[in-house]
């Protein structure tokens, strides 16, 4: 296995861990929807970074999914069909890790974002041929 392949697999493994956190939380007796949406955003971030590594591009230290998405498109990956999911997953992130009296993610948000992260996972695996 080349270092490039190892790097891609490392990012994919981290994304899988985020998806597993979602799966485990969704079946819990009390679901922390803020945690679900956080891990959905995190999975998407790691999936986009896996694509960048796969293209031999540097991975910026950012949580900005829209910026990462643009870099992935620039790298030549035909991922434009995932734009709506990226925009959805960008709505949350680290912000939901802190109390907010105005907004708390709902079950609908959590389920929608979990589905978006899962779709992106399938897309990325296909693009990487994994």
């Amino acid at each position: 296995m080349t270092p490039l392949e190892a790097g891609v697999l490392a990012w994919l493994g981290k994304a899988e861990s985020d998806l597993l956190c979602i799966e485990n939380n969704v079946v819990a007796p009390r679901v922390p929807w803020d945690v679900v949406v956080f891990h959905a955003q995190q999975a998407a971030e790691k999936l986009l970074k896996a694509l960048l590594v796969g293209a031999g591009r540097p991975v910026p230290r950012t949580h900005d999914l829209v910026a990462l998405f643009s870099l992935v498109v620039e790298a030549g990956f035909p991922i434009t069909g995932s734009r709506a999911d990226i925009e959805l997953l960008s709505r949350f992130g680290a912000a939901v890790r802190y109390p907010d009296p105005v907004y708390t993610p709902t079950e609908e948000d959590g389920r929608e974002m979990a589905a978006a992260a899962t779709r992106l996972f399938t897309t990325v695996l296909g693009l990487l041929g994994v």
Side-chain angles (χ1 to χ4, degrees):
M1 178 179 309
T2 68
L4 183 70
E5 292 167 333
V8 168
L9 291 177
W11 282 108
L12 291 177
K14 291 294 187 178
E16 282 182 303
S17 291
D18 284 311
L19 293 173
L20 180 60
C21 284
I22 292 169
E23 289 174 22
N24 290 339
N25 277 301
V26 168
V27 297
R30 197 184 79 173
V31 181
W33 293 109
D34 60 327
V35 173
V36 170
V37 300
F38 173 73
H39 282 287
Q41 186 279 339
Q42 287 291 292
E45 179 182 327
K46 292 162 186 155
L47 291 165
L48 294 173
K49 289 178 178 182
L51 288 173
L52 290 174
V53 170
R57 300 285 178 100
V59 176
R61 289 183 162 253
T62 183
H63 301 294
D64 185 339
L65 296 183
V66 174
L68 291 168
F69 180 80
S70 294
L71 293 172
V72 165
V73 170
E74 286 174 18
F77 285 104
I79 192 169
T80 53
S82 296
R83 185 168 201 55
D85 283 339
I86 294 299
E87 289 173 0
L88 171 68
L89 290 159
S90 294
R91 288 181 26 208
F92 304 103
V96 297
R97 302 301 289 162
Y98 303 96
D100 184 344
V102 178
Y103 180 75
T104 301
T106 65
E107 178 178 350
E108 182 181 351
D109 294 328
R111 291 192 185 283
E112 188 176 22
M113 291 186 68
T118 300
R119 284 190 299 271
L120 185 61
F121 183 72
T122 301
T123 298
V124 169
L125 290 182
L127 291 171
L128 292 171
V130 177

